[in-house]
Amino acid sequence: MDDVRYQLYYWPGIQGRGELVRLALEDAGASYQDVARLPESEGGGLRALMAMLQGQPAGMLPFAPPILVAGELVLAQTAAILHFLGPHLGLAPRDEGARDRALQLQLTVTDLLAEVHDGHHPIASDLYYEDQKAEAKRRAGSFTGERLPKFLGYFEKVLERAGPHLLGKDLAYVDLSMFQLMAGLDYAFPRAMERLASRTERLRALADQVAGRPRLAAYLASERRLPFNERGLFRHYPELDAG
Ligand SMILES: N[C@@H](CCC(=O)N[C@@H](CS)C(=O)NCC(=O)O)C(=O)O
């Protein structure tokens, strides 16, 4: 397909970190292939993703998905991908300093996502949740009681200063990621999020605004938007959600 500009490589069956890239591509109406969701007969599936991870295409060897291919460029790390895509998709500020601040915020999203992941996998990523439930439960109180309020409190303050978007007047890719963060946290930690509602009003308004953007609203209602599940990054285990 000559008119496909971007190829996204991400694990099929989960939203995961790939969703942050997908949201930017969808919001911009960019032409892209979600390669691992294509049938193997069309060069897709897990086989294509594994070939990418084994470095079959030329370019910098990626460590983990998501991976973006744009022409000759092969790029991994969600924040780096969005930093690259932002200006091409009209989702980044023009000013260089503001683009760096967008990256700074996106890297803070990355940090929070790592803590979300480590909440259900506190001992080892290659063990099942069921093998580390006791440790996960021990960690959960600190996550919902301390870390989550600290991260969301930080983003809320950024909005209070800049508003209505994280970088001010214009929406940027990091605002789309903030929507995904709020959606995932609502799914995984409904009680903790309810408790934080009065301290996250600006974040909620931003998330609602993003969800209502026409292309994103269409995407969110489509089959391309997979439901959250207990194989992804945001998992709902009631025992880990603060009451
Ligand atoms: N810092 C990276 C993390 C990438 C990452 O952890 N990817 C996950 C899927 S969401 C993975 O497949 N990791 C494999 C591994 O860490 O071995 C990013 O933000 O993109």
Side-chain angles (χ1 to χ4, degrees):
M1 281 199 343
D2 289 342
D3 57 342
V4 174
R5 278 198 76 170
Y6 303 109
Q7 284 163 325
L8 171 65
Y9 287 74
Y10 192 72
W11 302 114
I14 59 170
Q15 293 183 14
R17 290 175 174 89
E19 196 69 7
L20 303 185
V21 180
R22 230 172 255 126
L23 288 177
L25 293 167
E26 291 282 349
D27 187 72
S31 134
Y32 76 102
Q33 282 176 323
D34 212 329
V35 178
R37 289 193 194 168
L38 294 174
E40 285 196 0
S41 57
E42 290 174 31
L46 265 183
R47 187 184 292 188
L49 175 55
M50 296 320 287
M52 171 59 73
L53 287 172
Q54 281 149 21
Q56 276 182 21
M60 171 80 79
L61 186 65
F63 177 73
I67 300 151
L68 183 85
V69 176
E72 302 281 293
L73 179 73
V74 177
L75 191 62
Q77 289 287 356
T78 312
I81 293 171
L82 290 170
H83 182 66
F84 162 77
L85 278 177
H88 294 279
L89 301 182
L91 287 170
R94 281 195 190 162
D95 171 69
E96 195 185 348
R99 280 207 302 275
D100 291 342
R101 289 194 288 283
L103 177 59
Q104 175 199 317
L105 289 171
Q106 192 66 43
L107 286 165
T108 311
V109 171
T110 299
D111 289 347
L112 174 51
L113 291 181
E115 294 202 23
V116 168
H117 171 272
D118 293 352
H120 49 74
H121 279 75
I123 299 298
S125 296
D126 53 353
L127 290 178
Y128 290 110
Y129 167 64
E130 286 68 25
D131 298 326
Q132 43 196 320
K133 271 177 95 164
E135 293 87 352
K137 186 141 191 356
R138 244 189 113 187
R139 188 175 172 142
S142 151
F143 179 73
T144 54
E146 303 294 331
R147 300 298 290 169
L148 186 59
K150 183 169 181 180
F151 272 104
L152 294 187
Y154 166 73
F155 288 124
E156 183 77 10
K157 258 192 224 146
V158 171
L159 277 179
E160 191 181 332
R161 283 196 184 190
H165 303 105
L166 287 158
L167 290 155
K169 191 165 63 62
D170 297 322
L171 177 134
Y173 61 80
V174 66
D175 296 299
L176 308 182
S177 294
M178 196 53 57
F179 154 77
Q180 178 65 8
L181 209 50
M182 293 295 279
L185 291 168
D186 285 341
Y187 172 78
F189 304 103
R191 289 198 298 251
M193 289 301 279
E194 181 58 40
R195 239 180 30 192
L196 290 170
S198 63
R199 285 181 271 162
T200 51
E201 284 172 356
R202 289 180 179 80
L203 283 169
R204 182 61 60 195
L206 174 64
D208 289 348
Q209 187 222 318
V210 168
R213 287 169 70 79
R215 286 202 191 102
L216 275 194
Y219 165 67
L220 295 173
S222 76
E223 287 188 354
R224 297 196 301 291
R225 169 79 168 182
L226 299 178
F228 288 108
N229 60 44
E230 278 52 63
R231 283 170 288 127
L233 190 53
F234 292 105
R235 302 183 182 196
H236 180 54
Y237 295 127
E239 62 274 22
L240 303 187
D241 183 15

